[in-house]
Amino acid sequence: MTRTVFCKKYQQDLEGLDKAPYPGPKGQDIFENVSKKAWEEWHAHQTMLINEKHLSMMDPASRKFLQAEMEKFFSGEEYEKAEGYVPPSE
């Protein structure tokens, strides 16, 4: 049986993650409030940001930037996109 959560990005009940994506309170918050769909979309977007902006995960400033963008992404605020990127039409 799949677990559902009220997703803070989509504001509806959707399938939840199987486990917390990282340890600690932040991971638990994501586990309880972010759907699998939203997490997968963030993961793809994060990868694009890392590649397009040449971010290093060894750099604390890059990690802080991604953390802030993740918060914006899930809360529905305007978040950073790669320059010139046009999402595919559905």
Side-chain angles (χ1 to χ4, degrees):
M1 182 174 188
T2 58
R3 170 183 161 281
T4 60
V5 296
F6 186 77
C7 180
K8 64 183 177 180
K9 178 165 179 66
Y10 291 107
Q11 296 295 302
Q12 59 183 320
D13 289 323
L14 294 168
E15 181 180 355
L17 295 168
D18 297 327
K19 61 181 181 166
Y22 16 93
K26 185 46 138 173
Q28 191 62 34
D29 179 54
I30 291 168
F31 180 71
E32 293 172 359
N33 299 296
V34 173
S35 67
K36 185 180 281 191
K37 174 184 176 184
W39 180 255
E40 289 170 355
E41 287 176 6
W42 164 250
H43 198 263
H45 185 71
Q46 172 183 258
T47 301
M48 182 180 63
L49 287 175
I50 291 167
N51 291 334
E52 294 294 324
K53 296 190 173 290
H54 307 289
L55 302 177
S56 168
M57 293 301 87
M58 299 296 287
D59 177 24
S62 292
R63 292 193 310 267
K64 186 175 182 179
F65 168 77
L66 285 175
Q67 184 74 29
E69 292 308 305
M70 180 177 72
E71 292 296 327
K72 293 176 191 175
F73 183 86
F74 290 135
S75 67
E77 296 176 42
E78 191 64 32
Y79 55 90
E80 187 77 28
K81 297 175 179 73
E83 293 177 34
Y85 175 73
V86 178
S89 58
E90 294 181 31

